[in-house]
Amino acid sequence: MRVHELAKELNVKSKDILLLLEELGIGGKTASSSVPPQVLDTIRAKFGKPAAAKPAPPAEKRAAAPAAGKKAPAPAPPPPPPPTTPEPEEAEGEADVIKIKAPLTVADFATALDTDAENVISAAANIGEEVGDGDLVSPELAVLIGEQWGYTINVEVIEPEPEPEPEPEPEPEPVVEAEPEQPPAAEPVAEQKTISEPIVPERRTLVVPRRKAPPDAPPRPPVVTVLGHVDHGKTTLLDAIRETNVAAKEAGAITQHIGAYQVEVKGKVITFIDTPGHEAFTAMRARGAQVTDIAVLVVAADDGVMPQTVEAIDHAQAAGVPIIVAVNKVDRPEASVDTVKQQLSERGLTPEEWGGETIYVPVSALQKTGIEDLLEMISLVAEMAELRARRDGPAEGAVLEAEMDRRRGPLATLLVQEGTLRVGDALVAGPVAGKVRAMTDASGKRLKEAFPSTPVRVLGLSGVPEASELFRVVDSEKEARALAEQQRMADREMQLAARPTTLMDLSQLFATGAAKRLCLVLKADTQGSAEAITHALAEFKSEEVQLQVLHVAVGDVTESDVSLAAASKPSVVIGFQVGADAQARRLAADEHIEIRQYDVIYDLLDDVRDTINGMLDVTYEQVVVGAAEVRALFKSSQLGTIAGSFVREGRIVRGAFARVLRNGKVIFEGKISSLRHLQDDMREIAQGFECGIVLQGFDALEVGDVIECLEEREVRHTIA
């Protein structure tokens, strides 16, 4: 019998059963763990139920099949071949064509490419050309920069006419105007040589801060995202869930689909977010919109683990959300659930029946079998997580998607996470403000209010907010507009102050104590290289610093790799003997993420080691640099007691820290406020000379005391 079945029988929470199992010394990890038959009577008696009540365990048949496969799981299929180079070339062949007119400045060229002038300057530097913010971009340089980012640049050169010939004279004027607009253009060039100021980690300033639900807040429905490899049945599974379990079953529910919907399982509601994939999942996390409570990983039983499956696992684990594995297509003759379990166990998703904590549910989305079991497991995991949210107060949450409707204007799908959203509420979503004029659910039904974990489509915003933007209800439209303007200014300042995240930058950042975690995304040319590097990185152990390898795979650096790094800053993408496609380079430039490429494994390891060493705390220890013996005492009305002393070793330094020893015991610690030799003030006195010493705040000196002079020296810890 499973824990959740026994809890249902006894009308208690699964968590209570797990706590009792722990007291009895029996391992129970999750709500779907098995309860040994010999303790069933004890548990029933504990919760006041007679021992005679022994209902037949309906789940034992289901548990028998995995147990049989535990001893001899089927061998995992060979890993998929690494992506070949023709794919990036094809992508570049279909690059966007951008037409520009020459002459044009760096700023104008950046605008044409929809990026920052800073990125254009960096791209030119990679080619070997140095340009400034107000410099002109030659047609040849424009074409080369375009090729670097996957664009095809068509340059139309306009010959200057005789009339505008005097225009070169006011050339400085555009530069003066452009400097306030693009101040970081000069910064990165200087910082490539030396970093003189502390680097602050890139974190978006939220004008409207987030709230946290109190412990006594009422429970809320879980929010679930479905992830997995393409063609493994994510969409079919979502359709099967929606068709059979959508809570609102009015006509038109599917045609009115808004990208998120709710299902009902035995009186409990679950919210599903229909995202395009794990990239969108991570994009939300990158902006602080951690909307997902549970990730359902869909793996085809006939295909097994594929590259996007691995990426989905890494994205979910980086977000720290529990993973439920839905093994799909079990109705096919070539399906092997045990093979999937074996492959995923190597990725840290060990099944419960194998001693792990991951729940596996066999399903067939096409045949609509196993759907109820999957939903029940989601409910159990949510119950264990004890998800809560307050219903009172202003609503806040995240923008799931937004679009401009030609007839109705801006439309946004919002997920309420705290409070209650009502028609007529004024809200701000980042740099966009507005008022809720109409609100509908997934079936198109009009709503007057929406509670936590409810997805709704809202009409009435002043513009189209960015997906994954955070929203909050405020007191009035006027306040919403003011906060939206403040957020625009804050985003603008962050954009201007943003700088690339490089390993050198991270060393400087960590030296200031601003962060103690380094995230890496590793791509290598072969599986052997990836394993060798991962094992070598695992040797870099430190109690102070957490080195987290978010994702390891074979093949070129892709856009997905960069998006994962951007969501887990501070991060660096490392490529070993691989390239990076144009889309990845473009996104890395926009997100200020460094793609670091190596051909020698020792160079890679040395750079990471140096970065970790830069993160380690610097400690200081006191070292005795000199000692003087007190041989005479003199009284001064201005200075107090002057100790006539002889420096018997080392040196005595004015202003240094000192301690007084009497009969080998320390009787005072303080500062040397005055140091003289004869009538002269001295900065320090060397060994073999006599001097007068005055200690700050201490006059009770005696002849024979020893004054030790101490210095603090920096001790920097390193890893081997």
Side-chain angles (χ1 to χ4, degrees), residues 60 63 77 142 167 303 313 373 407 470 706:
E60 286 183 1
E167 277 187 12
D303 262 359
I313 294 170
D373 291 340
R407 202 162 45 85
L470 305 173
V706 175

Side-chain angles (χ1 to χ4, degrees), residues 167-180:
E167 277 187 12
E169 277 182 307
E171 213 174 37
E173 197 175 326
V175 178
V176 174
E177 286 179 5
E179 276 179 12

Side-chain angles (χ1 to χ4, degrees), residues 9 36 178 210 220 249 266 300 326 382 394 405 449 487 652 656 672:
E9 174 194 326
R210 307 292 285 165
R220 65 169 176 82
K249 294 189 176 180
K266 297 180 181 178
D405 188 280
E449 57 184 14
Q487 188 67 65
I652 305 297
I672 298 174

Side-chain angles (χ1 to χ4, degrees), residues 535-689:
H535 290 154
L537 292 174
E539 297 298 318
F540 294 166
K541 295 178 181 178
S542 168
E543 294 181 358
E544 301 176 36
V545 177
Q546 179 188 2
L547 177 63
Q548 186 175 3
V549 181
L550 298 173
H551 178 58
V552 181
V554 173
D556 287 349
V557 176
T558 65
E559 193 173 8
S560 176
D561 300 323
V562 178
S563 69
L564 177 56
S568 308
K569 291 181 180 178
S571 298
V572 173
V573 179
I574 290 180
F576 180 71
Q577 294 187 349
V578 295
D581 62 34
Q583 292 82 1
R585 290 196 299 269
R586 196 181 312 161
L587 181 61
D590 291 339
E591 292 289 346
H592 307 289
I593 294 292
E594 182 185 26
I595 300 175
R596 193 95 171 188
Q597 294 170 288
Y598 298 89
D599 292 322
V600 180
I601 190 171
Y602 300 108
D603 293 341
L604 185 159
L605 297 175
D606 286 346
D607 279 359
V608 175
R609 183 189 293 108
D610 291 345
T611 303
I612 294 175
N613 287 336
M615 296 166 65
L616 298 176
D617 288 335
V618 176
T619 58
Y620 296 88
E621 61 180 13
Q622 290 184 335
V623 180
V624 177
V625 296
E629 180 185 348
V630 179
R631 294 186 174 180
L633 297 173
F634 307 95
K635 297 292 184 180
S636 168
S637 58
Q638 293 181 342
L639 301 176
T641 300
I642 301 172
S645 308
F646 176 77
V647 182
R648 61 188 192 189
E649 61 181 80
R651 56 194 172 88
I652 305 297
V653 181
R654 185 181 67 209
F657 190 79
R659 61 188 178 199
V660 179
L661 281 72
R662 184 174 297 164
N663 299 324
K665 295 183 179 179
V666 178
I667 62 170
F668 172 76
E669 292 182 339
K671 188 179 177 182
I672 298 174
S673 59
S674 178
L675 184 65
R676 289 193 175 188
H677 177 66
L678 300 176
Q679 301 300 318
D680 300 325
D681 284 326
M682 304 294 291
R683 192 182 70 83
E684 66 176 57
I685 301 291
Q687 179 180 349
F689 288 89

Side-chain angles (χ1 to χ4, degrees), residues 27-38:
K29 297 181 179 178
T30 68
S32 61
S33 299
S34 298
V35 180
Q38 62 268 25

